[in-house]
Amino acid sequence: MVAPNVPPSVPSSSPKNKAIAALVAGLVFLVALAGIQNAPQSSGVPPALPKLDPNLVPLVTGEEPIQELFVRAGCVVCHRIPGIAGAEGKVGPPLWLGKTGAARLADPQYRGQAQTVREYIVESVVSPGTYVVPGFPADTMPAWYGRKLSAGALAKIATYLEQITEETSPGSR
Ligand code: HEC
């Protein structure tokens, strides 16, 4: 009996291919983000303010892990968010609403509908013009998030942000 001399077949590197595909997709996304930040500004907008193109922002379902959710939605470009890697934006206020939310609601200039910090967060995201945080530019936070974020995504964002009272996050660092 002669054993057939077949070399053990190496399963063609499918996990590796997947990893490479994921890496390429990640790179494409990063390049798109860099493009957003360096995009020439339309006239009238001060050059330092980034502008997100809604066509480049995918629908956010709320199924994503919180880190991915904030990155996908582009929040990280403009906001510092404790516990979220890469969220170092300085255009808007740091998002630690557990610390700042109550003061927003108590501001005599506040004219919105929110009764709780959680409602304030949702309102700030879907209707940023309702209340402009003093010291930050108006008409800068995109007004189209209501069309890009599912109710589940908004709930997840609110749950995360309302818990942040300090530099550190609810858990992820
Ligand atoms: C292009 C820049 C930009 C992007 C992108 C952006 N924001 Fe903002 N955001 C701002 C600015 C500027 C303000 C402050 C002015 C105002 O209140 O509209 C703000 C205000 C806020 C506030 C109120 C904060 C406070 O301290 O009262 C919340 C909450 C918020 N943003 C959440 C988000 C979330 C969540 C995302 C992503 C889904 C996001 N923002 C994306 C610029 C941005």
Side-chain angles (χ1 to χ4, degrees):
M1 292 283 120
V2 183
N5 189 13
V6 179
S9 74
V10 183
S12 71
S13 57
S14 83
K16 200 175 160 199
N17 284 345
K18 272 190 192 156
I20 291 171
L23 198 76
V24 169
L27 278 177
V28 167
F29 182 71
L30 280 181
V31 169
L33 259 191
I36 294 163
Q37 280 175 304
N38 298 329
Q41 304 292 322
S42 57
S43 62
V45 181
L49 300 179
K51 224 169 182 332
L52 279 190
D53 180 345
N55 297 317
L56 296 180
V57 176
L59 284 175
V60 179
T61 64
E63 301 293 311
E64 305 84 354
I66 193 74
Q67 163 76 37
E68 191 185 330
L69 193 161
F70 280 123
V71 171
R72 272 187 171 224
C75 319
V76 300
V77 175
C78 293
H79 289 285
R80 189 138 71 89
I81 310 174
I84 302 300
E88 302 292 343
K90 299 268 173 357
V91 178
L95 298 183
W96 41 44
L97 278 296
K99 182 156 124 183
T100 50
R104 305 286 187 247
L105 292 170
D107 184 340
Q109 299 302 312
Y110 178 70
R111 299 273 185 274
Q113 304 292 312
Q115 302 291 322
T116 64
V117 170
R118 190 179 176 84
E119 287 169 8
Y120 171 75
I121 294 168
V122 173
E123 184 182 73
S124 297
V125 175
V126 300
S127 174
T130 299
Y131 173 78
V132 178
V133 179
F136 292 91
D139 299 323
T140 301
M141 170 133 172
W144 38 255
Y145 275 126
R147 285 182 277 131
K148 289 289 182 176
L149 304 176
S150 72
L154 278 170
K156 212 162 169 177
I157 287 171
T159 298
Y160 187 85
L161 297 182
E162 72 180 347
Q163 288 180 57
I164 304 182
T165 53
E166 275 306 327
E167 297 272 339
T168 50
S169 70
S172 52
R173 234 181 225 176

Short mmCIF file of all heavy atoms in Angstrom, two decimals, residues 92-161:
data_model
loop_
_atom_site.label_atom_id
_atom_site.label_comp_id
_atom_site.label_asym_id
_atom_site.label_seq_id
_atom_site.Cartn_x
_atom_site.Cartn_y
_atom_site.Cartn_z
N GLY A 92 -16.97 71.58 18.81
CA GLY A 92 -18.10 71.66 19.74
C GLY A 92 -17.62 71.38 21.15
O GLY A 92 -16.45 71.07 21.37
N PRO A 93 -18.52 71.49 22.12
CA PRO A 93 -18.13 71.23 23.51
C PRO A 93 -17.84 69.75 23.74
O PRO A 93 -18.35 68.91 23.01
CB PRO A 93 -19.37 71.65 24.31
CG PRO A 93 -20.49 71.73 23.33
CD PRO A 93 -19.93 71.89 21.97
N PRO A 94 -17.01 69.45 24.75
CA PRO A 94 -16.81 68.04 25.11
C PRO A 94 -18.15 67.45 25.51
O PRO A 94 -18.95 68.13 26.16
CB PRO A 94 -15.87 68.08 26.33
CG PRO A 94 -15.39 69.48 26.46
CD PRO A 94 -16.31 70.37 25.67
N LEU A 95 -18.39 66.22 25.12
CA LEU A 95 -19.69 65.61 25.41
C LEU A 95 -19.63 64.84 26.72
O LEU A 95 -19.40 63.63 26.74
CB LEU A 95 -20.14 64.73 24.24
CG LEU A 95 -20.34 65.48 22.93
CD1 LEU A 95 -20.84 64.54 21.85
CD2 LEU A 95 -21.28 66.67 23.08
N TRP A 96 -19.80 65.57 27.81
CA TRP A 96 -19.93 64.94 29.12
C TRP A 96 -21.17 65.53 29.75
O TRP A 96 -21.14 66.34 30.66
CB TRP A 96 -18.68 65.11 29.99
CG TRP A 96 -18.01 66.45 29.95
CD1 TRP A 96 -18.59 67.68 29.99
CD2 TRP A 96 -16.58 66.68 29.89
NE1 TRP A 96 -17.63 68.66 29.95
CE2 TRP A 96 -16.39 68.08 29.89
CE3 TRP A 96 -15.46 65.85 29.85
CZ2 TRP A 96 -15.12 68.65 29.84
CZ3 TRP A 96 -14.20 66.43 29.80
CH2 TRP A 96 -14.05 67.80 29.79
N LEU A 97 -22.30 65.10 29.22
CA LEU A 97 -23.57 65.72 29.57
C LEU A 97 -24.01 65.40 30.99
O LEU A 97 -24.84 66.11 31.56
CB LEU A 97 -24.65 65.35 28.56
CG LEU A 97 -24.69 66.18 27.25
CD1 LEU A 97 -25.02 67.64 27.56
CD2 LEU A 97 -23.38 66.12 26.47
N GLY A 98 -23.43 64.34 31.58
CA GLY A 98 -23.72 64.06 32.98
C GLY A 98 -23.24 65.22 33.85
O GLY A 98 -23.75 65.47 34.93
N LYS A 99 -22.23 65.92 33.32
CA LYS A 99 -21.64 67.04 34.05
C LYS A 99 -22.30 68.36 33.66
O LYS A 99 -22.55 69.20 34.51
CB LYS A 99 -20.15 67.06 33.68
CG LYS A 99 -19.30 68.09 34.34
CD LYS A 99 -17.85 67.60 34.33
CE LYS A 99 -16.90 68.57 33.69
NZ LYS A 99 -15.53 68.04 33.65
N THR A 100 -22.58 68.55 32.37
CA THR A 100 -23.02 69.86 31.89
C THR A 100 -24.52 69.96 31.60
O THR A 100 -25.05 71.06 31.48
CB THR A 100 -22.27 70.20 30.58
OG1 THR A 100 -22.39 69.07 29.70
CG2 THR A 100 -20.81 70.47 30.82
N GLY A 101 -25.17 68.81 31.46
CA GLY A 101 -26.57 68.81 31.01
C GLY A 101 -27.51 69.63 31.88
O GLY A 101 -28.32 70.41 31.37
N ALA A 102 -27.40 69.49 33.20
CA ALA A 102 -28.32 70.18 34.11
C ALA A 102 -28.20 71.71 33.94
O ALA A 102 -29.21 72.42 33.95
CB ALA A 102 -28.05 69.78 35.55
N ALA A 103 -26.97 72.19 33.74
CA ALA A 103 -26.76 73.63 33.58
C ALA A 103 -27.39 74.13 32.27
O ALA A 103 -27.88 75.26 32.21
CB ALA A 103 -25.27 73.94 33.59
N ARG A 104 -27.39 73.31 31.25
CA ARG A 104 -28.02 73.72 29.97
C ARG A 104 -29.51 73.93 30.18
O ARG A 104 -30.09 74.91 29.74
CB ARG A 104 -27.84 72.64 28.89
CG ARG A 104 -26.42 72.22 28.64
CD ARG A 104 -25.62 73.27 27.88
NE ARG A 104 -24.32 72.74 27.51
CZ ARG A 104 -23.16 73.17 28.01
NH1 ARG A 104 -23.14 74.16 28.89
NH2 ARG A 104 -22.03 72.61 27.62
N LEU A 105 -30.14 72.98 30.86
CA LEU A 105 -31.58 73.06 31.08
C LEU A 105 -31.94 74.26 31.96
O LEU A 105 -33.01 74.84 31.84
CB LEU A 105 -32.10 71.76 31.72
CG LEU A 105 -32.02 70.53 30.80
CD1 LEU A 105 -32.31 69.27 31.60
CD2 LEU A 105 -32.98 70.65 29.64
N ALA A 106 -31.02 74.61 32.86
CA ALA A 106 -31.29 75.70 33.80
C ALA A 106 -30.98 77.07 33.20
O ALA A 106 -31.35 78.09 33.77
CB ALA A 106 -30.46 75.49 35.07
N ASP A 107 -30.31 77.09 32.04
CA ASP A 107 -29.95 78.36 31.41
C ASP A 107 -31.23 79.12 31.01
O ASP A 107 -32.07 78.57 30.31
CB ASP A 107 -29.10 78.07 30.16
CG ASP A 107 -28.59 79.35 29.50
OD1 ASP A 107 -29.16 80.43 29.74
OD2 ASP A 107 -27.62 79.25 28.73
N PRO A 108 -31.37 80.39 31.47
CA PRO A 108 -32.56 81.17 31.09
C PRO A 108 -32.72 81.30 29.57
O PRO A 108 -33.82 81.52 29.08
CB PRO A 108 -32.32 82.54 31.72
CG PRO A 108 -31.23 82.36 32.72
CD PRO A 108 -30.46 81.12 32.36
N GLN A 109 -31.59 81.17 28.83
CA GLN A 109 -31.66 81.25 27.37
C GLN A 109 -32.22 79.97 26.74
O GLN A 109 -32.49 79.93 25.55
CB GLN A 109 -30.26 81.48 26.77
CG GLN A 109 -29.59 82.77 27.22
CD GLN A 109 -30.44 83.98 26.87
OE1 GLN A 109 -30.92 84.12 25.76
NE2 GLN A 109 -30.66 84.86 27.86
N TYR A 110 -32.32 78.93 27.52
CA TYR A 110 -32.78 77.66 26.97
C TYR A 110 -34.27 77.73 26.65
O TYR A 110 -35.09 78.04 27.51
CB TYR A 110 -32.50 76.50 27.93
CG TYR A 110 -33.02 75.18 27.38
CD1 TYR A 110 -32.41 74.59 26.28
CD2 TYR A 110 -34.14 74.56 27.93
CE1 TYR A 110 -32.91 73.41 25.74
CE2 TYR A 110 -34.64 73.38 27.40
CZ TYR A 110 -34.01 72.82 26.30
OH TYR A 110 -34.51 71.65 25.75
N ARG A 111 -34.64 77.46 25.41
CA ARG A 111 -36.04 77.57 24.98
C ARG A 111 -36.58 76.25 24.44
O ARG A 111 -37.62 76.22 23.79
CB ARG A 111 -36.16 78.60 23.84
CG ARG A 111 -35.75 80.00 24.21
CD ARG A 111 -36.90 80.79 24.82
NE ARG A 111 -36.51 82.17 25.07
CZ ARG A 111 -35.90 82.58 26.17
NH1 ARG A 111 -35.60 81.73 27.12
NH2 ARG A 111 -35.57 83.85 26.33
N GLY A 112 -35.82 75.18 24.65
CA GLY A 112 -36.23 73.89 24.07
C GLY A 112 -37.32 73.20 24.86
O GLY A 112 -37.91 73.78 25.78
N GLN A 113 -37.62 71.97 24.46
CA GLN A 113 -38.72 71.20 25.05
C GLN A 113 -38.24 70.21 26.11
O GLN A 113 -39.05 69.61 26.80
CB GLN A 113 -39.41 70.37 23.96
CG GLN A 113 -39.92 71.18 22.78
CD GLN A 113 -41.06 72.08 23.18
OE1 GLN A 113 -41.99 71.63 23.84
NE2 GLN A 113 -40.98 73.36 22.83
N ALA A 114 -36.93 70.00 26.20
CA ALA A 114 -36.42 68.92 27.04
C ALA A 114 -36.67 69.18 28.52
O ALA A 114 -36.53 70.31 29.00
CB ALA A 114 -34.92 68.72 26.80
N GLN A 115 -37.05 68.12 29.23
CA GLN A 115 -37.24 68.19 30.68
C GLN A 115 -36.10 67.48 31.41
O GLN A 115 -35.87 67.74 32.59
CB GLN A 115 -38.56 67.51 31.08
CG GLN A 115 -39.79 68.10 30.42
CD GLN A 115 -40.09 69.50 30.93
OE1 GLN A 115 -39.93 69.78 32.11
NE2 GLN A 115 -40.51 70.39 30.04
N THR A 116 -35.45 66.58 30.73
CA THR A 116 -34.37 65.81 31.35
C THR A 116 -33.11 65.92 30.50
O THR A 116 -33.17 66.31 29.32
CB THR A 116 -34.74 64.32 31.43
OG1 THR A 116 -34.88 63.82 30.09
CG2 THR A 116 -36.04 64.10 32.18
N VAL A 117 -31.98 65.57 31.11
CA VAL A 117 -30.71 65.62 30.38
C VAL A 117 -30.77 64.69 29.17
O VAL A 117 -30.31 65.02 28.08
CB VAL A 117 -29.54 65.23 31.31
CG1 VAL A 117 -28.25 65.03 30.53
CG2 VAL A 117 -29.35 66.31 32.38
N ARG A 118 -31.39 63.55 29.36
CA ARG A 118 -31.52 62.59 28.27
C ARG A 118 -32.28 63.21 27.08
O ARG A 118 -31.85 63.12 25.93
CB ARG A 118 -32.26 61.36 28.78
CG ARG A 118 -32.24 60.22 27.84
CD ARG A 118 -32.96 59.03 28.42
NE ARG A 118 -32.99 58.00 27.42
CZ ARG A 118 -32.01 57.15 27.20
NH1 ARG A 118 -30.94 57.18 27.96
NH2 ARG A 118 -32.08 56.26 26.23
N GLU A 119 -33.39 63.87 27.39
CA GLU A 119 -34.15 64.53 26.32
C GLU A 119 -33.35 65.66 25.69
O GLU A 119 -33.43 65.91 24.50
CB GLU A 119 -35.47 65.08 26.89
CG GLU A 119 -36.50 64.01 27.21
CD GLU A 119 -37.70 64.52 28.02
OE1 GLU A 119 -37.82 65.75 28.21
OE2 GLU A 119 -38.49 63.68 28.46
N TYR A 120 -32.57 66.34 26.52
CA TYR A 120 -31.74 67.43 26.00
C TYR A 120 -30.71 66.90 25.00
O TYR A 120 -30.46 67.51 23.96
CB TYR A 120 -31.03 68.17 27.15
CG TYR A 120 -30.00 69.15 26.64
CD1 TYR A 120 -30.39 70.37 26.07
CD2 TYR A 120 -28.64 68.84 26.68
CE1 TYR A 120 -29.45 71.24 25.57
CE2 TYR A 120 -27.70 69.71 26.19
CZ TYR A 120 -28.10 70.91 25.62
OH TYR A 120 -27.17 71.78 25.11
N ILE A 121 -30.13 65.75 25.30
CA ILE A 121 -29.13 65.17 24.40
C ILE A 121 -29.79 64.85 23.05
O ILE A 121 -29.28 65.23 21.99
CB ILE A 121 -28.50 63.90 25.00
CG1 ILE A 121 -27.67 64.27 26.24
CG2 ILE A 121 -27.62 63.19 23.97
CD1 ILE A 121 -27.22 63.08 27.08
N VAL A 122 -30.93 64.19 23.10
CA VAL A 122 -31.61 63.82 21.85
C VAL A 122 -31.99 65.08 21.07
O VAL A 122 -31.76 65.18 19.86
CB VAL A 122 -32.85 62.96 22.15
CG1 VAL A 122 -33.67 62.72 20.89
CG2 VAL A 122 -32.42 61.62 22.77
N GLU A 123 -32.51 66.06 21.77
CA GLU A 123 -32.89 67.31 21.10
C GLU A 123 -31.67 67.99 20.48
O GLU A 123 -31.73 68.49 19.34
CB GLU A 123 -33.53 68.26 22.13
CG GLU A 123 -34.05 69.56 21.54
CD GLU A 123 -34.62 70.45 22.65
OE1 GLU A 123 -33.83 71.02 23.43
OE2 GLU A 123 -35.85 70.53 22.75
N SER A 124 -30.54 67.98 21.20
CA SER A 124 -29.32 68.62 20.68
C SER A 124 -28.85 67.96 19.40
O SER A 124 -28.27 68.61 18.54
CB SER A 124 -28.18 68.53 21.71
OG SER A 124 -28.50 69.22 22.89
N VAL A 125 -29.09 66.65 19.30
CA VAL A 125 -28.60 65.91 18.13
C VAL A 125 -29.54 66.09 16.93
O VAL A 125 -29.10 66.32 15.81
CB VAL A 125 -28.40 64.42 18.46
CG1 VAL A 125 -28.00 63.64 17.22
CG2 VAL A 125 -27.33 64.26 19.55
N VAL A 126 -30.84 66.02 17.17
CA VAL A 126 -31.76 66.09 16.02
C VAL A 126 -32.17 67.52 15.69
O VAL A 126 -32.63 67.79 14.59
CB VAL A 126 -33.02 65.21 16.23
CG1 VAL A 126 -32.65 63.76 16.42
CG2 VAL A 126 -33.86 65.71 17.39
N SER A 127 -31.97 68.44 16.61
CA SER A 127 -32.39 69.82 16.39
C SER A 127 -31.39 70.78 17.02
O SER A 127 -31.68 71.48 17.98
CB SER A 127 -33.78 70.01 17.01
OG SER A 127 -34.18 71.35 16.95
N PRO A 128 -30.15 70.78 16.47
CA PRO A 128 -29.07 71.52 17.14
C PRO A 128 -29.33 73.02 17.24
O PRO A 128 -28.76 73.68 18.10
CB PRO A 128 -27.84 71.21 16.29
CG PRO A 128 -28.35 70.63 15.02
CD PRO A 128 -29.71 70.08 15.26
N GLY A 129 -30.18 73.55 16.39
CA GLY A 129 -30.43 74.99 16.44
C GLY A 129 -31.32 75.42 17.59
O GLY A 129 -31.41 76.61 17.90
N THR A 130 -31.96 74.46 18.26
CA THR A 130 -32.88 74.81 19.34
C THR A 130 -32.17 75.56 20.46
O THR A 130 -32.70 76.52 21.02
CB THR A 130 -33.54 73.53 19.91
OG1 THR A 130 -34.28 72.91 18.86
CG2 THR A 130 -34.48 73.84 21.06
N TYR A 131 -30.96 75.14 20.76
CA TYR A 131 -30.17 75.82 21.79
C TYR A 131 -28.71 75.73 21.37
O TYR A 131 -28.21 74.64 21.13
CB TYR A 131 -30.37 75.16 23.15
CG TYR A 131 -29.48 75.70 24.24
CD1 TYR A 131 -29.76 76.92 24.86
CD2 TYR A 131 -28.34 75.00 24.64
CE1 TYR A 131 -28.93 77.42 25.86
CE2 TYR A 131 -27.51 75.49 25.65
CZ TYR A 131 -27.81 76.71 26.25
OH TYR A 131 -26.99 77.19 27.23
N VAL A 132 -28.07 76.86 21.24
CA VAL A 132 -26.66 76.87 20.87
C VAL A 132 -25.84 77.11 22.14
O VAL A 132 -26.04 78.10 22.83
CB VAL A 132 -26.38 77.96 19.82
CG1 VAL A 132 -24.89 78.00 19.48
CG2 VAL A 132 -27.20 77.70 18.56
N VAL A 133 -24.96 76.17 22.43
CA VAL A 133 -24.15 76.27 23.65
C VAL A 133 -23.29 77.54 23.57
O VAL A 133 -22.59 77.75 22.58
CB VAL A 133 -23.25 75.02 23.79
CG1 VAL A 133 -22.39 75.13 25.05
CG2 VAL A 133 -24.10 73.76 23.83
N PRO A 134 -23.38 78.40 24.61
CA PRO A 134 -22.62 79.66 24.59
C PRO A 134 -21.13 79.40 24.38
O PRO A 134 -20.57 78.47 24.95
CB PRO A 134 -22.87 80.25 25.99
CG PRO A 134 -24.14 79.61 26.47
CD PRO A 134 -24.19 78.25 25.84
N GLY A 135 -20.52 80.22 23.54
CA GLY A 135 -19.10 80.09 23.27
C GLY A 135 -18.79 79.16 22.10
O GLY A 135 -17.63 79.00 21.74
N PHE A 136 -19.81 78.57 21.50
CA PHE A 136 -19.60 77.67 20.36
C PHE A 136 -20.39 78.17 19.16
O PHE A 136 -21.42 78.84 19.33
CB PHE A 136 -19.98 76.24 20.73
CG PHE A 136 -19.04 75.65 21.74
CD1 PHE A 136 -19.31 75.76 23.10
CD2 PHE A 136 -17.86 75.04 21.33
CE1 PHE A 136 -18.42 75.25 24.03
CE2 PHE A 136 -16.97 74.53 22.27
CZ PHE A 136 -17.24 74.63 23.62
N PRO A 137 -19.90 77.84 17.96
CA PRO A 137 -20.54 78.40 16.76
C PRO A 137 -21.91 77.78 16.47
O PRO A 137 -22.09 76.58 16.60
CB PRO A 137 -19.55 78.05 15.64
CG PRO A 137 -18.79 76.87 16.15
CD PRO A 137 -18.73 77.01 17.65
N ALA A 138 -22.84 78.62 16.07
CA ALA A 138 -24.17 78.15 15.63
C ALA A 138 -24.04 77.60 14.21
O ALA A 138 -23.03 77.82 13.53
CB ALA A 138 -25.16 79.30 15.67
N ASP A 139 -25.05 76.88 13.77
CA ASP A 139 -25.12 76.38 12.39
C ASP A 139 -23.89 75.58 11.98
O ASP A 139 -23.48 75.62 10.82
CB ASP A 139 -25.30 77.56 11.41
CG ASP A 139 -26.57 78.32 11.67
OD1 ASP A 139 -27.58 77.68 12.03
OD2 ASP A 139 -26.56 79.56 11.55
N THR A 140 -23.28 74.91 12.92
CA THR A 140 -22.08 74.13 12.62
C THR A 140 -22.34 72.65 12.81
O THR A 140 -22.00 71.84 11.95
CB THR A 140 -20.93 74.59 13.53
OG1 THR A 140 -20.71 75.98 13.31
CG2 THR A 140 -19.66 73.82 13.23
N MET A 141 -22.97 72.31 13.90
CA MET A 141 -23.38 70.93 14.08
C MET A 141 -24.40 70.59 12.99
O MET A 141 -25.34 71.34 12.75
CB MET A 141 -24.01 70.76 15.46
CG MET A 141 -24.65 69.41 15.63
SD MET A 141 -24.22 68.62 17.13
CE MET A 141 -25.37 67.23 17.02
N PRO A 142 -24.17 69.46 12.27
CA PRO A 142 -25.08 69.13 11.17
C PRO A 142 -26.53 69.06 11.63
O PRO A 142 -26.82 68.56 12.72
CB PRO A 142 -24.59 67.76 10.71
CG PRO A 142 -23.17 67.67 11.18
CD PRO A 142 -23.10 68.48 12.44
N ALA A 143 -27.45 69.55 10.78
CA ALA A 143 -28.87 69.57 11.13
C ALA A 143 -29.59 68.33 10.62
O ALA A 143 -30.79 68.20 10.81
CB ALA A 143 -29.51 70.83 10.56
N TRP A 144 -28.87 67.42 9.97
CA TRP A 144 -29.53 66.28 9.32
C TRP A 144 -29.39 64.97 10.08
O TRP A 144 -29.69 63.90 9.55
CB TRP A 144 -29.01 66.11 7.89
CG TRP A 144 -27.55 66.38 7.70
CD1 TRP A 144 -27.00 67.50 7.13
CD2 TRP A 144 -26.43 65.55 8.08
NE1 TRP A 144 -25.63 67.41 7.13
CE2 TRP A 144 -25.26 66.23 7.70
CE3 TRP A 144 -26.33 64.31 8.70
CZ2 TRP A 144 -23.98 65.70 7.92
CZ3 TRP A 144 -25.06 63.78 8.92
CH2 TRP A 144 -23.90 64.48 8.54
N TYR A 145 -28.96 65.00 11.33
CA TYR A 145 -28.79 63.73 12.04
C TYR A 145 -30.10 62.98 12.26
O TYR A 145 -30.10 61.76 12.36
CB TYR A 145 -28.05 63.93 13.37
CG TYR A 145 -26.55 63.94 13.20
CD1 TYR A 145 -25.78 64.99 13.67
CD2 TYR A 145 -25.90 62.88 12.56
CE1 TYR A 145 -24.41 65.00 13.52
CE2 TYR A 145 -24.53 62.88 12.40
CZ TYR A 145 -23.78 63.94 12.88
OH TYR A 145 -22.42 63.95 12.72
N GLY A 146 -31.21 63.71 12.32
CA GLY A 146 -32.49 63.04 12.46
C GLY A 146 -32.75 62.05 11.34
O GLY A 146 -33.48 61.08 11.51
N ARG A 147 -32.13 62.28 10.18
CA ARG A 147 -32.33 61.39 9.02
C ARG A 147 -31.31 60.26 8.98
O ARG A 147 -31.43 59.34 8.19
CB ARG A 147 -32.22 62.20 7.72
CG ARG A 147 -33.45 63.04 7.46
CD ARG A 147 -33.31 63.77 6.14
NE ARG A 147 -32.54 65.00 6.27
CZ ARG A 147 -31.52 65.36 5.48
NH1 ARG A 147 -31.13 64.56 4.51
NH2 ARG A 147 -30.91 66.50 5.68
N LYS A 148 -30.25 60.37 9.76
CA LYS A 148 -29.16 59.39 9.68
C LYS A 148 -29.12 58.43 10.86
O LYS A 148 -28.51 57.37 10.79
CB LYS A 148 -27.81 60.13 9.62
CG LYS A 148 -27.57 60.86 8.33
CD LYS A 148 -27.30 59.89 7.20
CE LYS A 148 -27.00 60.63 5.92
NZ LYS A 148 -26.66 59.68 4.84
N LEU A 149 -29.71 58.84 11.96
CA LEU A 149 -29.61 58.03 13.17
C LEU A 149 -30.97 57.40 13.48
O LEU A 149 -31.98 58.11 13.53
CB LEU A 149 -29.19 58.91 14.35
CG LEU A 149 -27.87 59.69 14.19
CD1 LEU A 149 -27.64 60.58 15.40
CD2 LEU A 149 -26.69 58.75 14.01
N SER A 150 -30.98 56.10 13.68
CA SER A 150 -32.22 55.43 14.07
C SER A 150 -32.57 55.82 15.50
O SER A 150 -31.73 56.35 16.24
CB SER A 150 -32.03 53.92 13.99
OG SER A 150 -31.19 53.51 15.05
N ALA A 151 -33.81 55.52 15.89
CA ALA A 151 -34.21 55.78 17.27
C ALA A 151 -33.31 55.01 18.22
O ALA A 151 -32.92 55.51 19.28
CB ALA A 151 -35.67 55.38 17.48
N GLY A 152 -32.93 53.79 17.82
CA GLY A 152 -32.05 52.97 18.66
C GLY A 152 -30.69 53.62 18.81
O GLY A 152 -30.10 53.60 19.90
N ALA A 153 -30.18 54.19 17.73
CA ALA A 153 -28.87 54.85 17.79
C ALA A 153 -28.94 56.07 18.71
O ALA A 153 -28.04 56.30 19.52
CB ALA A 153 -28.42 55.24 16.38
N LEU A 154 -30.01 56.83 18.59
CA LEU A 154 -30.15 58.01 19.45
C LEU A 154 -30.22 57.61 20.92
O LEU A 154 -29.61 58.26 21.78
CB LEU A 154 -31.44 58.77 19.08
CG LEU A 154 -31.33 59.70 17.88
CD1 LEU A 154 -32.72 60.18 17.47
CD2 LEU A 154 -30.42 60.88 18.19
N ALA A 155 -30.96 56.54 21.19
CA ALA A 155 -31.08 56.09 22.58
C ALA A 155 -29.72 55.67 23.12
O ALA A 155 -29.37 55.97 24.26
CB ALA A 155 -32.07 54.93 22.66
N LYS A 156 -28.94 55.01 22.27
CA LYS A 156 -27.63 54.53 22.70
C LYS A 156 -26.70 55.72 22.98
O LYS A 156 -25.97 55.73 23.97
CB LYS A 156 -27.05 53.66 21.59
CG LYS A 156 -26.18 52.54 22.07
CD LYS A 156 -26.04 51.50 20.97
CE LYS A 156 -24.97 50.51 21.34
NZ LYS A 156 -24.85 49.44 20.34
N ILE A 157 -26.76 56.71 22.11
CA ILE A 157 -25.95 57.92 22.30
C ILE A 157 -26.33 58.60 23.62
O ILE A 157 -25.48 58.96 24.42
CB ILE A 157 -26.19 58.90 21.11
CG1 ILE A 157 -25.51 58.36 19.85
CG2 ILE A 157 -25.69 60.30 21.45
CD1 ILE A 157 -25.84 59.12 18.58
N ALA A 158 -27.65 58.76 23.84
CA ALA A 158 -28.10 59.45 25.05
C ALA A 158 -27.68 58.69 26.30
O ALA A 158 -27.20 59.28 27.28
CB ALA A 158 -29.62 59.63 25.01
N THR A 159 -27.83 57.37 26.26
CA THR A 159 -27.46 56.55 27.42
C THR A 159 -25.98 56.71 27.73
O THR A 159 -25.59 56.82 28.90
CB THR A 159 -27.78 55.07 27.15
OG1 THR A 159 -29.19 54.95 26.97
CG2 THR A 159 -27.35 54.18 28.32
N TYR A 160 -25.16 56.76 26.69
CA TYR A 160 -23.72 56.88 26.91
C TYR A 160 -23.38 58.28 27.46
O TYR A 160 -22.72 58.41 28.49
CB TYR A 160 -22.97 56.63 25.61
CG TYR A 160 -21.47 56.58 25.78
CD1 TYR A 160 -20.84 55.39 26.16
CD2 TYR A 160 -20.68 57.70 25.60
CE1 TYR A 160 -19.46 55.33 26.34
CE2 TYR A 160 -19.30 57.66 25.77
CZ TYR A 160 -18.70 56.46 26.14
OH TYR A 160 -17.34 56.42 26.32
N LEU A 161 -23.87 59.30 26.77
CA LEU A 161 -23.45 60.66 27.12
C LEU A 161 -23.98 61.13 28.46
O LEU A 161 -23.32 61.89 29.17
CB LEU A 161 -23.86 61.64 26.02
CG LEU A 161 -23.22 61.41 24.65
CD1 LEU A 161 -23.69 62.48 23.68
CD2 LEU A 161 -21.69 61.40 24.74
#
